[in-house]
Each structure stands twice: as C-alpha cells, then as structure tokens.
Amino acid sequence: MPVIAHGSKKLSIRLLLGAALALLLAGCAGHSSLPPEPAHWVYETARSDGAIAQRWAPAFVAYDHDRIYNRIGRPVVDQQSGQDIIIDTRQPTVYFIQRTFATDRGVYTNLIYRVHFPEVPYSLIPFNLTAGKNGGLLVVVTLNADELPVLVTTVHTCGCYLAIIPTRALPHEALPAGWTGDTLDVYGERLPAFIDFGQHHAPRLLIHLRPATHRVMDLTVVEEASLANPPFQTIPMEIEAMDQLQHLPAGEGDTSFYFSEGVMQGHVKGSIKPWETLLLSLVSMDLFVGSDKAYEDTSQRGTPFYTSLKFWRRDDSNMWNFPRFLQYWGWRL
C-alpha cells in the first residue's frame, strides 16, 4: 500500500508539472498577428557621437502603439494613491548605467539600458504568462577595447527570456562551443544569430517589441538618418542614470522603484506576476519568480538578477557578475 501511494504521488507531481509546462509553452509560443499601422513608432534618444551612452543607445520599435500598455514610460508615484508606482507613458525614459569588466581575453565595457511598460495585459488566448504591471526590459551592449559592440544581450527585468547575440566584431573563438550560427529560438521568438553594425556610418540598433508581452521579436541595425523617414515615426526618449530609479519624487521627499526591505527586497513595486508565481515558483524555488528586479550588486541584500530557473545555479547566472554569467552560458570572451 505505501508503494502504491508513493507512485500515485509521483504521478500527480508529473501531471502537475506537465500541465504547467504545457501552459508555459503556450505562453511562449502563442503570438497574435501584428496589426496594420500607418507608421512604426520608434522610441529613441538624441544621438551624440561624443557621449558613449547616446552613441550606442538602442531604439525601441513599439507595435500596436495605440494601446497604452505597449508604450514605454517613466516610473512615477501615482498621484491618486500617493504611494503606488505606475508607469507614466507621457514621459518615455530609458535608464542607463555603464560598467567595466575584465576576462582573461581583455577588458570590456557594458552599456546597460532599461525601459519599463505599464503592464502586460491578462489574456488566455493567446496566454500571457507574464501578465502583470510595471514590467521592463534590459538591453546590454558590450563593447571591446576599441569601443565596438561585440555582444548584445536582451532580457526582461524579471530575468526571463534571455538572448545573447554576437556581432560580427566578436572573434570566432569567443563563441560558445558548438555555435552553429543558426537563427536563435528564444521561447518562440526567432532572433538573428549575428548583428552587423559595420555596414552603417551611423548605426542605430532597433529592438522590435512584440505587442502586449513586450518580448523582443527582432533586432535590426539601420542607418540613423533613416529613422527620419517613413515608415518610421520617432518619439523622443529621455536618458537618465539608472540610480534615479532609487529616488522617485514623492511629496516632499522621494521613494525607490524597488522594495528596500522585507521578503521582496530588491523587487520592483507592483510587479507581481500571478501566472508565473503559480506555474514556476515551485520549479524555481522562488515565490516571486516573475517579479521584476533591480539590476544591482545583491551580495549584501536584495535578490540576484538570475537568468536560469535552476535555483542551484542562481549565482552563476546572475547578470551582475557579467564574466561569470557569460561563462555559465558558454561564452568565451
């Protein structure tokens, strides 16, 4: 009798995990067709050849722009509640931090850009796994010693949907072992295997965003001047230091975009993702698995910006320690 009970328990767990996996795959693979639009709305910062942050800043193509949840905004304190954090799409802003790291092969510079959206709407068909408010996207442009991009990394600020894409300037020996050069399949999105900045005099990286989910569905490089012509319609976007997210104006003082204490320390306020918590918290051993996080040193507090659901590899996949993160995912810079 105990053997039968144990076997039934194992079967139940497998069925639950199977159901969760099916819903997860449905959430990753289900895409609505792009709506017809007279223009492609592009969020971009003012370009400056002298300022490295502006020179390599990506621009973001937001499809189905009529829907407010597809727009980039600025985290602010809700005036009605006086405490809740919302994303004000009237003030599109990208937040920036620059970090340097070294490996056995050389010294590199990361240009890290962060944007946020009001919400991912709840939907069953297609199933939006990441439904919830205040979600964001991180884009990291890695430069070599000659200040040329060698990698572009995109990841949601919950640490999910990671993509690491080399540029043509990256030496072949730095690629992961067994790299085929085939188009990358990132949970249902097909992304280019390489990015080429070298064909343009003033290149601008475009991040194409899937409506509703804000998934990265393509990365292209265009000549900067082409954004002034149809089909593009540009929207000016401010660029600010990332640490400003720790000091949002609130009354006579300020407040942080992130919880500063308690079990959610280091997570974005208001960013609980119920479906991800329900389906992925057990396998990841993280009750707040889908909640967005600060990109910061979490050796003393907060939660690591991990990019693998393997909880025993949480530190190895933490993007803050970029050399270890790259090594974990097989890159050999």
Side-chain angles (χ1 to χ4, degrees):
M1 198 66 174
V3 175
I4 296 175
H6 179 67
S8 299
K9 183 178 180 181
K10 289 177 65 177
L11 178 60
S12 298
I13 292 174
R14 288 174 180 172
L15 288 174
L16 286 172
L17 290 176
L21 180 60
L23 286 172
L24 174 61
L25 292 176
C28 294
H31 296 316
S32 299
S33 59
L34 295 177
E37 295 181 291
H40 294 330
W41 295 91
V42 182
Y43 290 90
E44 70 161 346
T45 61
R47 185 181 177 90
S48 170
D49 290 332
I52 195 170
Q54 282 90 348
R55 180 183 178 189
W56 297 111
F60 299 87
V61 187
Y63 296 91
D64 200 9
H65 188 263
D66 285 347
R67 299 185 185 273
I68 290 179
Y69 55 69
N70 289 323
R71 302 177 185 178
I72 292 172
R74 181 187 188 94
V76 299
V77 175
D78 183 13
Q79 295 299 313
Q80 293 185 347
S81 69
Q83 57 183 6
D84 295 334
I85 305 297
I86 61 173
I87 307 302
D88 183 356
T89 59
R90 298 169 300 178
Q91 305 179 65
T93 306
V94 58
Y95 294 89
F96 173 78
I97 186 174
Q98 179 176 327
R99 302 190 70 226
T100 300
F101 68 95
T103 70
D104 292 340
R105 293 178 180 267
V107 177
Y108 302 88
T109 299
N110 273 349
L111 309 178
I112 303 150
Y113 304 89
R114 179 173 187 142
V115 294
H116 277 267
F117 309 88
E119 66 174 326
V120 171
Y122 287 89
S123 172
L124 291 178
I125 303 176
F127 176 56
N128 288 346
L129 176 69
T130 57
K133 296 184 181 297
N134 295 354
L137 180 69
L138 212 67
V139 179
V140 182
V141 179
T142 302
L143 308 181
N144 62 14
D146 296 323
E147 294 192 350
L148 296 175
V150 291
L151 285 180
V152 174
T153 302
T154 66
V155 65
H156 286 232
T157 51
C158 58
C160 54
Y161 302 129
L162 170 71
I164 306 172
I165 304 176
T167 77
R168 294 294 180 183
L170 184 73
H172 186 270
E173 58 270 20
L175 295 168
W179 180 266
T180 63
D182 295 334
T183 301
L184 304 180
D185 185 352
V186 182
Y187 295 100
E189 297 290 359
R190 307 290 291 179
L191 302 182
F194 289 95
I195 299 174
D196 192 351
F197 286 88
Q199 296 182 351
H200 301 280
H201 171 69
R204 177 72 86 171
L205 174 65
L206 295 186
I207 308 293
H208 299 258
L209 302 172
R210 175 76 58 187
T213 62
H214 317 132
R215 293 281 310 278
V216 176
M217 62 180 188
D218 198 8
L219 298 92
T220 57
V221 179
V222 300
E223 190 68 39
E224 171 73 19
S226 71
L227 295 179
N229 303 316
F232 299 115
Q233 181 69 46
T234 58
I235 302 172
M237 183 169 55
E238 295 295 323
I239 184 167
E240 290 199 3
M242 200 173 293
D243 64 7
Q244 288 301 305
L245 290 171
Q246 303 276 9
H247 306 284
L248 306 182
E252 297 181 357
D254 59 37
T255 188
S256 176
F257 189 37
Y258 317 107
F259 288 102
S260 57
E261 57 186 7
V263 295
M264 291 200 68
Q265 187 179 60
H267 289 88
V268 170
K269 294 175 180 176
S271 70
I272 290 290
K273 307 300 192 304
W275 285 121
E276 290 193 80
T277 293
L278 178 64
L279 299 175
L280 297 175
S281 60
L282 181 60
V283 67
S284 65
M285 299 296 289
D286 182 2
L287 184 61
F288 309 112
V289 57
S291 186
D292 298 81
K293 310 178 186 75
Y295 185 74
E296 62 182 1
D297 185 359
T298 51
S299 59
Q300 302 298 323
R301 64 184 183 87
T303 187
F305 199 100
Y306 66 86
T307 54
S308 170
L309 288 177
K310 298 177 180 178
F311 59 87
W312 60 95
R313 304 307 296 270
R314 195 157 290 174
D315 288 336
D316 292 334
S317 68
N318 183 358
M319 276 185 65
W320 184 258
N321 187 332
F322 213 76
R324 185 171 59 185
F325 157 82
L326 289 176
Q327 185 178 32
Y328 172 73
W329 289 109
W331 296 85
R332 300 175 289 181
L333 266 66

